Amino acid sequence: MAFGQTLATIDLSALSHNFTQVEKRVGGRKIIAVIKANAYGHGAIAIAKHLIKSSPPAMLAVASLDEAIILREAKIAAPILLLTGCPADRMGEVVSYRLTPTLFDTKSLAGDGRLIALSRSLKLASRKVTVHLKVDTGMGRLGIAPSQVVGFLKKAEDFGIVVEGILSHFAEADLSDLSFAKEQTATIKNVITTLTKKKGCDPCEGYDPCEMTLPFFHLANSAAILHFPEAYLDAVRPGLMLYGYSPLEGKKSFTLRPVMTIRSRVIAIKTVPANTSISYGRTYVTKQTTKVATIGIGYADGYPRALSNCGEMIAKGRRVPVIGRVCMDMTMLDVTKVPKLLVGDFVTVIGQEGKEAVWADDLAKKAGTIPYEILCGIKGNMPREYVGA
Ligand SMILES: *Cc1c(COP(=O)(O)O)cnc(C)c1O
């Protein structure tokens, strides 16, 4: 593909490979493919369409209603889970777009209108809507207390709402010390035990769980999928690993393949003498005669400003340092050792050239962040080409 300044190449065969790695680990369990944040910067519509075509996940998951609507408008019919729920006044859209919201507070039952609004629009649409219920087992963010689950299910039943799934989320499943993840898993397993009580038990709070179809349970994110099989339950929710990265620090042994490569053009080259300052704030001053290449990518594209004076790119197969501050649309490199580099050539910003590689996790380390933030930061308007379908 011809391209202007910058191009992201998304390798769909790597995506399929990574999905297969999830399948291999979790056996026949359902897979909920997490494609929030524009599929971690990879382009949600294309990622969803490829997954559905090659190895359909049980569900797709996005954060918000608006992300889900973009997928529906692109004719994606698969079940979509809304991980951050939905505002009460937009529940009608949940129904009309056939989405599955996550409910996560008791207020939605006590009359703030969320469930009521939902059940009203249900009647309007005369269509049953399913929801997932989030339980807080230690994240301290969304979710009702484990002790509230039975009561919640009863009320949901009264409203005619089908609770199809119950989920929780790990706070630190990426650590090698899994003790807190084990506590969280034990908590959700207790909920499962409560709900699977056989018929004949005393109905709790007037509600007999034996009479309903048991919801399916899901807890595991990429970290847990990679090293904590105890948490697989009925379904898993991989995000990061689908895109080829492991959230586990210092462990590169997993056979994941990064899906996104970013290349950007050299828009100017000049040779400057020693003692020349480069970029805003003059944080870099050349020590000798230096060949400086200006690259057409900057923080407006999602190349973090935190990589000023510490990032690296690959030019003609050679690793070269970012010098001076990263600008909004440009970044400067010291290419003194790359005599053949010309204006119009491209350099690799994220990816591999020969033996050299700079991946999102390498950049994350240098920028003091996580690969998630590097990937999600890649702007939606960056031109993307999809290969390997
Ligand atoms: C983002 C997210 C995931 C995916 O997490 P990864 O670490 O990217 O695998 C799973 N579940 C929930 C609730 C999430 O918000």
Side-chain angles (χ1 to χ4, degrees), residues 199-267:
K199 254 195 161 73
C201 61
D202 282 344
C204 315
E205 301 169 39
Y207 174 65
D208 184 356
C210 316
E211 285 180 358
M212 65 163 193
T213 326
L214 202 64
F216 68 87
F217 285 80
H218 48 108
L219 173 63
N221 53 6
S222 295
I225 292 166
L226 288 170
H227 76 156
F228 190 41
E230 235 177 84
Y232 290 172
L233 308 183
D234 303 314
V236 296
R237 298 189 308 270
L240 188 69
M241 71 179 287
L242 294 179
Y243 310 103
Y245 291 92
S246 160
L248 312 184
E249 230 177 283
K251 288 197 190 169
K252 288 222 177 191
S253 55
F254 300 110
T255 57
L256 300 170
R257 283 169 49 194
V259 174
M260 178 158 46
T261 296
I262 294 180
R263 292 174 296 157
S264 188
R265 277 193 203 273
V266 177
I267 59 176

Side-chain angles (χ1 to χ4, degrees), residues 164-184:
E164 175 192 59
I166 295 185
L167 67 149
S168 193
H169 193 48
F170 280 124
E172 53 174 29
D174 53 324
L175 301 187
S176 55
D177 175 3
L178 283 166
S179 47
F180 194 67
K182 284 183 177 155
E183 277 179 41
Q184 289 193 262

